[in-house]
Amino acid sequence: MFSLKQPKPTFKSYLLPQADDNIASEPRIKKLEPVLLPGEIVVNEVNFVRKCIATDTSQYDLWGKLVCTNFKISFITDDPMPLQKFHYKNLLLGEHDVPLTCIEQIVTVNDTKRKQKVLGPNQKLKFNPTELIIYCKDFRIVRFRFDEAGPESAKKVCLAIAHYSQPTDLQLLFAFEYVGEIYHNPAKKVNGIDPGGGGGGIGNASGQQTPLFETYSDWDREIKRTGASDWRVCSVNEGYMISTCLPEYFVVPSSLADQDLKLYSYSFIGRRMPLWSWNHPNGSALVRMANIKDVLQQRRIDQRICNAITRSHPLRSDVYKSDLDKCLPNIQEIQAAHIKLKQLCVNEPFDETEEKWLSSLENTRWLEYVRAFLKHSAELVYMMECKHVSVVLQEEEGRDLSCLAASLIQVMLDPYFRTIVGFQSLIQKEWVMAGYQFLDRCNHLKRSDKESPLFLMFLDCVWQLLEQYPAAFEFSEVYLTILYDSARISLFGTFLFNCPHQRVKESTEFAISKNIQLGDEKGLRFPCVWDWSLQLSSRDRLLFHNPLYVGKSAPSAHNGALWAFKRSKKNYSSTLRGVPPALKNGIIGEQEFLPRRNSLILKLKPDFSQPAEGQTHSMEQYFRDWFAKPVDLHGIILPHLSATQIKLWKLCYFRWVPEAQISHGGSITAFHRVSLLADEVDTLNRSLRQYKSNSSLQGHCSELDQSRMYFRANGLNDTSGAPDFLSSSFPFSPVGNLCRRSILGTPLSKFLSGAKIWLSTETLANED
């Protein structure tokens, strides 16, 4: 009788199952997904993309997926980055990511048809691209190949990048989507940080926060800090009732009534009334003012304003007015210089331009303009410090050149603004709240006719001072560089708007369209750039600290005995040897407007507000006396302005050029060594405190002190060498940017190392 059950199979296979063959053969690239922020969406992507690492070989190229979102372009790969030993991590961006607002130009190329096209918004692409080149505003060049990618997919992702990187409306910038998502879903906060926080990322040892100067109390505290007793906080513009390009609260002379301010405001361009910036301990004030457009009332109103400023001075001193439009380069000239500088540092092959590289740098006029701002600011420092007069910075609209000049003057005069928190408060006060047009000047909406890198010019000028007086600044050049990069990230409200009123107006309209309940808030609260924990880990934020900084409690500053920074008279005179008299201490006389041959100093615009001849002599004598004395790190600092002292900011402009890197060289080697020494000193101080007191409070403070330096010493008398990953571009990595042929050993590489071969023959002769 047969059973209905099927017999058990008796065959047993010893071969591996083949069911997963298809899965294993599929590229892993398709499984790669981008890391997205709240409100960020993928708008297009393409697989099998090759990121070019070098132009002369493809052996280092990376394979991955190219993704375009409404915030960034992101290249995702599992391949390790070749030739790279170090790269700091930005928590908002991946290693291969570029923010859309950092994109300068998009070029598509078809090798077969020998065609290329610069893509603009809403343009059509009539050929299938085989290559995509991204030119970035921070001097990066990134290149992708589509040899193995689908032609239609490659075309779509190129068009998507062109469209989303050139928005037509402010509310299309990513920050609005991010904040809208955060308001609807508070649980999605990045790193648990609220949007619009007040600088919780980094401060001084006591945890001091960065004042945003959005409230009455912030301005009142600044008045008390500077001792401006005859000035008051004015709320006449509350609700932006008078001027939309002024803050709601600002400081004016106590003798000016609100009713007078309302009346006078109609006569100023943009209704921008005079703004107080800072007070000197001797009573002199620094004031910013737009031009008076009412010609008939100009003399009367100008006299009333000057009289009010004079009455606010304890000595009733006169007012010195500086017309910045006449004595400084305008925004168009600065933009033209920046374009030439970028062309020199990025687009020109070094091996073709090295013989004329220095003359090309001179022709950009960038260093000339840096020197012009430093020179004029130093002259105004003299007027406040030595002549005890209040200074009024006058400009057509009072929101471009005056931002830069007022900030530099305060950095030179007030050591508080040379700390991290103080510097951040300075930018908030003189740039963000004073109505600097970040939206237009940074060209977030690609309106090139209004673009001008004034903020970069300011950071460059500060870097010159940092380079000359490293022990006077709490922050490092890495801090300045990352701060500049942050202005190109469309997430922070700090650098997104032309004025505070625009933030309130645009964000309120956006909130209504998205059904966001604002309550008592004046517009949406955007993330603040001073919340550095949004971008960097606590470890990487240690790179902001300058190990050479001498704090107020440093023993070398007691009784003015700054022995470590004292210059002898011999050293001072050798610095000036061979320099024309009018160039000494940075003072240019009218007879010296013509440039020397092969000099970095070109012809400057005549300063129509030059002091009288007797006053010029007094100014020169003041600078001569100041430079002959020891430097007070907690007092005034003045810039050296001779041709050899104004330098190119190599970390900022050369960090993405692989050929320009100096392996195990550059200023980072000194930074590393000084950090080890400072860490050893901290260790000894902790040991001394623990020896004197074993209280829990002392132990707690010791733990806080341990994280002050990025580089740590391996015990006392650490003799270990520099880490293998150090180079002149640290902490940035140029790997993955468009490379050129190597130029090691050429005059250019010697210039990058600081050799004097690139100085003019006249300068070298003068120093012999």
Side-chain angles (χ1 to χ4, degrees):
M1 194 172 177
F2 296 99
S3 173
L4 297 177
K5 294 182 179 180
Q6 294 182 355
K8 294 181 179 180
T10 58
F11 177 77
K12 185 175 182 180
S13 174
Y14 291 91
L15 297 176
L16 293 175
Q18 302 297 316
D20 294 334
D21 280 356
N22 293 334
I23 299 177
S25 63
E26 291 182 2
R28 297 168 58 197
I29 295 172
K30 291 186 176 180
K31 297 181 180 179
L32 300 175
E33 297 297 336
V35 178
L36 303 177
L37 298 175
E40 187 178 6
I41 59 173
V42 175
V43 296
N44 218 306
E45 61 184 37
V46 57
N47 288 312
F48 308 111
V49 177
R50 181 157 53 94
K51 181 177 181 181
C52 301
I53 303 300
T55 55
D56 53 353
T57 179
S58 61
Q59 75 174 101
Y60 301 118
D61 291 355
L62 304 177
W63 289 90
K65 176 193 289 188
L66 182 61
V67 177
C68 174
T69 75
N70 57 342
F71 171 55
K72 64 179 182 284
I73 59 171
S74 182
F75 180 74
I76 313 165
T77 180
D78 273 347
D79 297 338
M81 177 66 87
L83 309 175
Q84 180 169 300
K85 299 175 181 178
F86 178 86
H87 186 278
Y88 91 97
K89 183 179 180 181
N90 190 306
L91 302 179
L92 298 175
L93 299 165
E95 187 175 4
H96 305 281
D97 294 354
V98 178
L100 293 176
T101 42
C102 189
I103 296 177
E104 181 83 36
Q105 194 177 69
I106 303 165
V107 180
T108 53
V109 181
N110 184 290
D111 295 337
T112 306
K113 297 182 179 180
R114 295 185 178 181
K115 291 183 178 181
Q116 67 177 23
K117 181 179 178 64
V118 177
L119 280 182
N122 303 319
Q123 287 187 341
K124 293 183 179 180
L125 190 58
K126 296 182 179 180
F127 58 84
N128 293 324
T130 58
E131 185 174 349
L132 173 66
I133 304 175
I134 305 291
Y135 292 86
C136 303
K137 295 179 181 178
D138 60 2
F139 290 26
R140 273 184 294 175
I141 305 177
V142 187
R143 190 174 61 158
F144 302 99
R145 295 283 304 180
F146 302 120
D147 300 300
E148 304 298 329
E152 285 299 320
S153 299
K155 179 189 291 187
K156 288 180 180 179
V157 79
C158 291
L159 292 173
I161 294 172
H163 177 75
Y164 281 88
S165 65
Q166 303 176 72
T168 57
D169 187 77
L170 174 59
Q171 295 182 24
L172 294 177
L173 292 176
F174 172 69
F176 285 87
E177 292 296 332
Y178 172 85
V179 174
E181 184 69 19
I182 293 296
Y183 271 85
H184 283 301
N185 301 284
K188 290 187 177 181
K189 298 172 187 173
V190 176
N191 300 331
I193 303 295
D194 278 311
I202 191 168
N204 59 14
S206 62
Q208 183 182 356
Q209 303 298 302
T210 301
L212 301 182
F213 291 96
E214 294 178 346
T215 63
Y216 184 102
S217 58
D218 282 346
W219 288 102
D220 189 56
R221 278 192 292 269
E222 184 67 6
I223 286 178
K224 294 175 180 177
R225 188 189 72 83
T226 59
S229 57
D230 291 317
W231 296 78
R232 66 181 180 89
V233 183
C234 172
S235 58
V236 69
N237 197 42
E238 199 167 19
Y240 307 100
M241 297 300 294
I242 292 182
S243 176
T244 58
C245 54
L246 285 178
E248 289 190 281
Y249 307 100
F250 52 93
V251 178
V252 296
S254 299
S255 59
L256 280 179
D258 286 356
Q259 194 61 34
D260 293 333
L261 292 172
K262 292 179 182 179
L263 182 63
Y264 296 156
S265 67
Y266 292 98
S267 301
F268 290 94
I269 294 178
R271 301 190 69 179
R272 289 180 61 88
M273 295 166 285
L275 299 174
W276 172 89
S277 290
W278 184 79
N279 240 63
H280 193 283
N282 64 26
S284 303
L286 180 64
V287 182
R288 298 168 55 175
M289 187 172 74
N291 287 345
I292 300 174
K293 61 182 179 180
D294 190 344
V295 180
L296 298 177
Q297 300 291 329
Q298 182 175 1
R299 184 178 182 86
R300 184 181 67 86
I301 295 175
D302 191 67
Q303 190 64 42
R304 290 290 299 274
I305 297 296
C306 290
N307 287 341
I309 296 174
T310 298
R311 284 195 292 270
S312 298
H313 196 295
L315 301 178
R316 300 297 189 265
S317 298
D318 293 334
V319 173
Y320 180 81
K321 293 182 67 174
S322 174
D323 191 338
L324 302 183
D325 291 321
K326 293 182 179 180
C327 56
L328 289 174
N330 58 44
I331 61 173
Q332 291 82 13
E333 291 172 326
I334 295 172
Q335 171 67 359
H338 183 254
I339 291 174
K340 292 178 182 178
L341 179 66
K342 182 182 296 185
Q343 179 74 16
L344 179 64
C345 296
V346 175
N347 294 343
E348 294 292 339
F350 282 152
D351 52 352
E352 297 177 8
T353 61
E354 58 174 323
E355 293 182 358
K356 56 180 181 179
W357 200 87
L358 189 60
S359 61
S360 299
L361 175 62
E362 182 179 6
N363 290 335
T364 67
R365 306 192 73 179
W366 180 261
L367 294 182
E368 173 192 337
Y369 294 157
V370 168
R371 181 186 180 280
F373 277 103
L374 289 169
K375 169 184 175 292
H376 191 68
S377 300
E379 291 174 351
L380 297 180
V381 165
Y382 159 79
M383 298 303 296
M384 297 184 69
E385 168 72 14
C386 190
K387 293 298 182 180
H388 296 187
V389 299
S390 295
V391 170
V392 174
L393 304 176
Q394 191 159 3
E395 186 188 5
E396 183 177 3
E397 294 187 7
R399 55 194 304 195
D400 280 310
L401 303 178
S402 60
C403 295
L404 207 165
S407 300
L408 280 181
I409 292 169
Q410 291 172 75
V411 168
M412 294 179 190
L413 282 170
D414 194 339
Y416 169 68
F417 295 124
R418 301 196 286 267
T419 66
I420 293 176
V421 172
F423 189 72
Q424 293 175 170
S425 71
L426 178 69
I427 294 174
Q428 277 291 142
K429 176 167 63 80
E430 299 297 339
W431 295 78
V432 180
M433 301 309 295
Y436 177 71
Q437 302 171 83
F438 279 105
L439 179 66
D440 292 339
R441 300 296 179 245
C442 294
N443 203 16
H444 292 321
L445 300 182
K446 303 300 186 291
R447 297 168 183 168
S448 57
D449 58 321
K450 296 182 179 180
E451 183 176 8
S452 187
L454 275 172
F455 188 62
L456 173 61
M457 174 68 71
F458 165 63
L459 297 180
D460 198 324
C461 291
V462 173
W463 177 82
Q464 303 289 340
L465 295 171
L466 170 62
E467 182 76 2
Q468 295 176 15
Y469 303 101
F473 290 83
E474 185 185 12
F475 49 82
S476 65
E477 68 170 326
V478 174
Y479 168 80
L480 293 175
T481 308
I482 295 180
L483 178 58
Y484 166 62
D485 290 343
S486 301
R488 305 295 185 185
I489 300 177
S490 60
L491 179 65
F492 304 110
T494 313
F495 302 129
L496 211 59
F497 303 99
N498 286 335
C499 58
H501 172 262
Q502 188 182 48
R503 177 190 68 81
V504 174
K505 178 178 177 294
E506 294 286 342
S507 63
T508 301
E509 292 177 358
F510 181 82
I512 294 173
S513 67
K514 297 295 182 180
N515 196 27
I516 298 175
Q517 301 298 323
L518 292 176
D520 295 332
E521 294 185 17
K522 296 179 180 179
L524 296 174
R525 304 294 299 177
F526 292 86
C528 180
V529 74
W530 314 129
D531 288 327
W532 289 110
S533 57
L534 274 173
Q535 293 193 71
L536 304 170
S537 66
S538 57
R539 164 74 170 160
D540 285 343
R541 292 200 299 275
L542 295 177
L543 287 168
F544 288 178
H545 292 278
N546 176 14
L548 285 168
Y549 176 63
V550 178
K552 287 187 177 180
S553 60
S556 61
H558 284 337
N559 300 321
L562 302 163
W563 57 270
F565 304 95
K566 184 175 181 179
R567 291 188 301 274
S568 65
K569 193 169 184 180
K570 179 180 179 181
N571 289 336
Y572 168 68
S573 60
S574 65
T575 303
L576 298 176
R577 188 183 304 140
V579 181
L583 279 177
K584 293 180 180 180
N585 300 315
I587 305 301
I588 285 189
E590 293 181 2
Q591 73 277 12
E592 295 293 339
F593 278 135
L594 293 177
R596 292 178 294 143
R597 188 175 177 223
N598 297 327
S599 170
L600 279 176
I601 309 298
L602 293 183
K603 182 177 180 180
L604 295 178
K605 295 173 61 177
D607 188 348
F608 297 103
S609 61
Q610 283 280 355
E613 183 177 350
Q615 188 165 294
T616 301
H617 177 75
S618 175
M619 186 184 299
E620 290 183 356
Q621 187 61 44
Y622 168 76
F623 287 129
R624 187 179 301 278
D625 293 342
W626 188 90
F627 281 109
K629 297 176 182 178
V631 179
D632 182 1
L633 298 176
H634 309 121
I636 298 173
I637 58 172
L638 294 174
H640 297 272
L641 297 173
S642 63
T644 56
Q645 295 288 344
I646 302 300
K647 305 176 182 178
L648 189 67
W649 188 4
K650 300 170 191 174
L651 179 65
C652 185
Y653 305 130
F654 283 141
R655 55 185 161 144
W656 307 120
V657 183
E659 303 91 329
Q661 303 315 303
I662 307 171
S663 181
H664 306 292
S667 60
I668 188 60
T669 54
F671 183 94
H672 167 258
R673 193 60 203 164
V674 173
S675 296
L676 297 183
L677 293 174
D679 191 57
E680 289 186 21
V681 171
D682 287 347
T683 301
L684 292 173
N685 283 334
R686 288 194 297 269
S687 300
L688 184 61
R689 285 195 299 268
Q690 290 174 358
Y691 176 78
K692 291 182 176 180
S693 173
N694 294 322
S695 67
S696 59
L697 179 61
Q698 286 286 352
H700 178 66
C701 293
S702 299
E703 293 298 323
L704 292 177
D705 292 342
Q706 289 178 1
S707 58
R708 198 169 70 91
M709 292 295 140
Y710 182 84
F711 296 106
R712 311 281 180 80
N714 297 321
L716 299 179
N717 301 318
D718 184 6
T719 58
S720 59
D724 189 49
F725 55 75
L726 288 187
S727 75
S728 58
S729 66
F730 181 89
F732 309 96
S733 173
V735 176
N737 294 285
L738 193 62
C739 301
R740 309 175 187 88
R741 289 188 293 276
S742 175
I743 56 159
L744 296 179
T746 63
L748 178 63
S749 64
K750 295 178 181 179
F751 166 76
L752 295 171
S753 302
K756 291 185 177 180
I757 188 171
W758 279 97
L759 298 178
S760 66
T761 54
E762 182 180 350
T763 305
L764 290 174
N766 289 333
E767 292 192 352
D768 290 335

